[in-house]
Amino acid sequence: MNGPEIVFHIGSFPISETVRNTWIVMLALTLFSYFGTRNLQRVPSKLQIVVEGIVGAINNLVKQNMGEKYANFAPFIGTVFLMFMISNLMGLLGFRAPTADLNTTVAMALVTFVLIHTNGIRSKGIGGWVKGFLEPLPALLPLNIIGELATPVSLSFRLFGNIAGGSIIMMLLYQVLRWLSVSVFGLPFGLFQIGIPAVLHIYFDLFAGVLQAFIFIMLTMVFVASAE
């Protein structure tokens, strides 16, 4: 599996598949938010019911895992979940998932990392936040620092590894099916590529895609709430 290709340039600035596909996800979410909320009614339309269901589910998830006082984190958590879920599902449409690029997952993991420690400083003050690195014993300071630095590494590599691994397996499967069709059975094209990969697409793109987006926001909520 090669890295993301350069699809076009804006001036001298190259735009990769990852950036283009991320823009597609952002555009889809923006249009969904605009059309889903521009004309709210007491008797909701089907689209309004879907939007209210998503917002209600995310609000409840945040309150249950972080507590009522962190309810204002719901927009961030919801946005990250929807962005990652749609990004992971792009493989179903033949696009390269933005989350199969380590740059994307590292960027979002660093956002979470900053959020964790910003919340820690806001809750405990600078002194309390620094003191937290010396607990339970000052001698454990190096291990505590390494443990904190490991958070964005584990967040980013878990998501990247699962999505990129699934993409590689699917690519190899398509190549094997084409080889069987053309070289072994003498068919004029990769006939076996039709239909057979659907089951694995359901697992690697649909199930794993939604699951990994959910795991990312669950860990984010746990880390942020435990930083106080």
Side-chain angles (χ1 to χ4, degrees), residues 10 20 24 35 75 86 90 115 123 137 141 164 195 227:
I10 297 180
R20 181 199 62 187
I24 292 174
F35 288 108
I86 296 175
M90 290 188 82
L115 197 62
S123 302
L137 296 171
L141 173 63

Side-chain angles (χ1 to χ4, degrees), residues 3-10 12-20:
E5 296 179 357
I6 303 300
V7 289
F8 61 91
H9 288 75
I10 297 180
S12 60
F13 193 77
I15 303 298
S16 67
E17 284 180 288
T18 300
V19 175
R20 181 199 62 187

Side-chain angles (χ1 to χ4, degrees), residues 62-85:
V62 172
K63 291 176 183 176
Q64 289 172 3
N65 290 280
M66 302 179 74
E68 286 283 344
K69 66 178 180 179
Y70 286 107
N72 58 340
F73 277 79
F76 171 75
I77 297 296
T79 302
V80 172
F81 175 70
L82 292 175
M83 178 181 171
F84 276 162
M85 184 182 72

Side-chain angles (χ1 to χ4, degrees), residues 31-190:
L31 293 176
F32 177 71
S33 300
Y34 174 73
F35 288 108
T37 60
R38 67 172 179 167
N39 188 26
L40 300 178
Q41 301 291 333
R42 286 186 178 276
V43 180
S45 63
K46 292 181 180 178
L47 180 58
Q48 185 177 335
I49 292 174
V50 172
V51 173
E52 289 179 350
I54 294 173
V55 172
I58 291 172
N59 283 336
N60 290 333
L61 185 68
V62 172
K63 291 176 183 176
Q64 289 172 3
N65 290 280
M66 302 179 74
E68 286 283 344
K69 66 178 180 179
Y70 286 107
N72 58 340
F73 277 79
F76 171 75
I77 297 296
T79 302
V80 172
F81 175 70
L82 292 175
M83 178 181 171
F84 276 162
M85 184 182 72
I86 296 175
S87 297
N88 295 344
L89 296 180
M90 290 188 82
L92 291 171
L93 302 176
F95 289 96
R96 180 190 177 93
T99 41
D101 188 332
L102 188 59
N103 293 302
T104 301
T105 58
V106 167
M108 289 308 299
L110 288 177
V111 170
T112 297
F113 181 74
V114 171
L115 197 62
I116 293 168
H117 291 282
T118 301
N119 187 55
I121 294 172
R122 187 180 63 178
S123 302
K124 297 183 287 190
I126 290 287
W129 175 72
V130 173
K131 185 181 177 182
F133 288 94
L134 304 175
E135 295 176 346
L137 296 171
L140 295 179
L141 173 63
L143 291 179
N144 287 335
I145 292 176
I146 292 172
E148 292 299 327
L149 293 177
T151 298
V153 175
S154 64
L155 279 174
S156 57
F157 274 81
R158 178 185 293 106
L159 181 58
F160 164 74
N162 279 281
I163 302 304
S167 299
I168 292 171
I169 291 173
M170 292 307 303
M171 181 189 68
L172 293 175
L173 177 66
Y174 274 104
Q175 291 180 351
V176 169
L177 291 175
R178 180 171 180 78
W179 174 77
L180 286 174
S181 301
V182 177
S183 301
V184 178
F185 292 94
L187 299 173
F189 60 94

